[in-house]
Amino acid sequence: MSARGAKLGALPRPAEPGTAVVAVERNDLIFYLVVATALFNFVLCILNTSVMTTTETVVMSCEIALIGAAALLAMDRRGIFALILFVYLAYMAFILALRPFLDLKAIRDFLIPLTFYALGRAHGDVRGVDKAMFRLGIVFLVFGLLEYFFTTQYLTVVNILKYYLSRGTLAEIPDFMAGGPQLFASGLRFEDRNLLGFLLSPHRVSSIFLEPVTAGNFGGVVYIWALARRDMPHRIATMALGMAAIVLSDARFGFYACLLVTPLAFVAPYLPRAAWVLAPFAAIVAIAIIGYRASGESWTDDFSGRLLLAGLLLRRLDTAAIFGISPANLGLADSGYAYTLYRVGLVGVAGLWGLLFLTPTRDPSGWRFKAMATMFVLLSLTVSNSIYSIKLGALVWWAIGTLDASPSPKGTDEDGDGAERGSAGPPEPTPASDRSVGVT
């Protein structure tokens, strides 16, 4: 090949007419779809307050429409996602057939990470995720401040308690909430706040997420994204918006989890991939040991107490429950690990988690964010199953999939200091099918 031929071979193929326009329109559609997953409950709450009654059927229909749209957008000609989706649904149909009751929520809970990760993987648009994190952070802050400073007037438009009663999440108003503000059950601290208690009232802001647990987790995810994405626009402002959501919602878990995962931004490249594949199973064993060694069943409402509760709930699982085929209807919402095993089974957990970490990551910042986000998920599973909510889950898994599929410029990472080191998450080589063909 001549030098001239080599230079020509290095040039990318010209895009087909209209391809760029279609890609931009598709990315905009995906952006608004993911934003809709975060906001649709908030919109339904407003409608339920004064326009129409929002039932569980309405909420489920919205979720099905959003997940279905994401699944259609994630499909490609290779059919890999379609195959994975078929295997997942066949597996869930098998274990659900062994239960005496139909548990459609189990299918939905794990369909969210599977679908939105595939969506990000198929049509990675890192700048779109940057924009979603920043703009949702602003929207959260605006409505959060309105909720905090003008609570009475705000609740006449956004009656949170009425919404959760209408959709069936709450059967009746709890005694401790009678006569109080129409917030979610955990919307008020009955003791001092954990964060800025000397300055702020016991009101835990929920804003667009309607309940403070997801609001705090959202703040953590926004902070982690900005920490991993060193070249994103408005990076410091995005981190500040994430911390503001944590503080306003008084999310002690979100605050401490961010402190714990921050060092991963620096050490993640040096950690072996196998450690992440085995991490949830090591956590399950460790928490189960805590539960089996406990002398009683009393626990306190702090992290050590919630860890003990998670162990006690894992202790309730028999062999059938561990493999997702228990005939009992167990209430396990306070332990994400027990809830996960009970809903999808050990085989399903191994398959889904292995799929996430054995899938190539082509961008150094993608590995940093995947490491931090999944550590955040693992920590959150010790205290709740809120990560399975579409309000936050769609955004998290879309972001992970997007960075997994978006390579940095060849030969450098986003900071310009060379390819990512270590065996954990180096950028994968560009597949041959994606390279331009040399001219000889």
Side-chain angles (χ1 to χ4, degrees):
M1 183 189 299
S2 66
R4 176 178 174 81
K7 290 181 181 179
L8 288 173
L11 294 174
R13 289 176 174 176
E16 296 180 7
T19 302
V21 175
V22 172
V24 170
E25 292 178 348
R26 181 188 60 217
N27 289 340
D28 286 343
L29 178 61
I30 293 171
F31 168 81
Y32 289 116
L33 174 66
V34 175
V35 168
T37 64
L39 294 178
F40 83 94
N41 274 283
F42 183 68
V43 173
L44 289 179
C45 181
I46 294 174
L47 294 175
N48 184 74
T49 301
S50 55
V51 178
M52 56 176 275
T53 299
T54 302
T55 63
E56 184 180 14
T57 302
V58 173
V59 178
M60 289 179 61
S61 299
C62 291
E63 289 196 1
I64 291 171
L66 291 168
I67 296 171
L72 288 174
L73 287 168
M75 297 290 180
D76 59 20
R77 287 177 293 180
R78 293 178 298 172
I80 295 176
F81 173 62
L83 177 61
I84 294 172
L85 192 60
F86 173 79
V87 172
Y88 168 73
L89 293 175
Y91 167 77
M92 291 302 297
F94 172 73
I95 64 171
L96 290 179
L98 299 178
R99 299 182 192 174
F101 56 92
L102 184 61
D103 187 7
L104 295 178
K105 190 174 185 300
I107 299 177
R108 166 262 190 201
D109 283 349
F110 301 93
L111 194 58
I112 291 169
L114 193 63
T115 301
F116 284 92
Y117 175 82
L119 179 64
R121 185 93 194 177
H123 307 293
D125 177 22
V126 178
R127 294 302 183 188
V129 184
D130 288 342
K131 183 169 64 173
M133 295 287 183
F134 180 65
R135 293 187 180 180
L136 281 174
I138 292 175
V139 173
F140 177 93
L141 183 62
V142 169
F143 284 100
L145 292 176
L146 289 173
E147 177 189 339
Y148 185 82
F149 288 107
F150 306 98
T151 305
T152 302
Q153 296 89 336
Y154 180 87
L155 292 175
T156 60
V157 179
V158 189
N159 192 317
I160 298 172
L161 182 58
K162 181 181 178 182
Y163 175 67
Y164 281 105
L165 288 169
S166 295
R167 58 177 283 180
T169 305
L170 296 175
E172 58 184 13
I173 299 177
D175 292 338
F176 67 88
M177 295 183 65
Q182 303 292 290
L183 298 168
F184 191 69
S186 56
L188 290 174
R189 287 276 188 215
F190 293 98
E191 300 175 355
D192 294 336
R193 285 177 64 97
N194 295 283
L195 305 176
L196 298 185
F198 64 92
L199 180 64
L200 301 175
S201 73
H203 180 182
R204 302 179 65 194
V205 168
S206 303
S207 187
I208 57 176
F209 296 104
L210 305 181
E211 41 86 16
V213 174
T214 302
N217 288 342
F218 165 76
V221 169
V222 170
Y223 168 83
I224 290 169
W225 174 266
L227 187 63
R229 287 276 299 128
R230 298 176 182 175
D231 66 340
M232 74 171 289
H234 315 297
R235 184 187 183 215
I236 301 302
T238 303
M239 294 176 71
L241 288 168
M243 292 307 299
I246 290 173
V247 171
L248 286 173
S249 61
D250 195 33
R252 59 189 174 190
F253 165 78
F255 179 75
Y256 292 122
C258 285
L259 292 181
L260 288 174
V261 303
T262 294
L264 287 177
F266 309 98
V267 303
Y270 306 98
L271 299 177
R273 189 182 297 270
W276 294 104
V277 174
L278 298 174
F281 309 102
I284 289 171
V285 171
I287 295 171
I289 291 173
I290 293 173
Y292 278 102
R293 295 186 62 182
S295 56
E297 296 197 358
S298 61
W299 53 279
T300 55
D301 190 22
D302 52 25
F303 185 74
S304 61
R306 298 300 292 271
L307 197 63
L308 173 59
L309 175 62
L312 294 173
L313 292 175
L314 276 174
R315 193 172 72 178
R316 293 173 54 185
L317 301 183
D318 57 14
T319 302
I322 290 173
F323 284 93
I325 56 175
S326 173
N329 191 0
L330 304 176
L332 302 167
D334 286 324
S335 172
Y337 287 107
Y339 177 90
T340 300
L341 288 173
Y342 170 71
R343 293 288 186 182
V344 76
L346 184 61
V347 175
V349 172
L352 292 170
W353 191 261
L355 185 66
L356 173 65
F357 272 98
L358 296 177
T359 303
T361 300
R362 299 173 61 191
D363 181 75
S365 65
W367 183 256
R368 279 194 293 268
F369 179 71
K370 179 186 280 189
M372 290 188 289
T374 51
M375 178 58 73
F376 190 91
V377 169
L378 292 176
L379 290 171
S380 73
L381 288 174
T382 61
V383 297
S384 76
N385 64 350
S386 62
I387 194 64
Y388 294 120
S389 169
I390 194 174
K391 291 183 290 186
L392 182 61
L395 178 66
V396 172
W397 299 110
W398 174 57
I400 294 175
T402 295
L403 279 182
D404 269 6
S406 302
S408 295
K410 185 177 181 181
T412 62
D413 66 12
E414 62 182 355
D415 304 307
D417 56 0
E420 197 77 5
R421 296 169 293 277
S423 60
E428 299 291 330
T430 303
S433 60
D434 293 340
R435 299 178 189 144
S436 56
V437 179
V439 178
T440 57

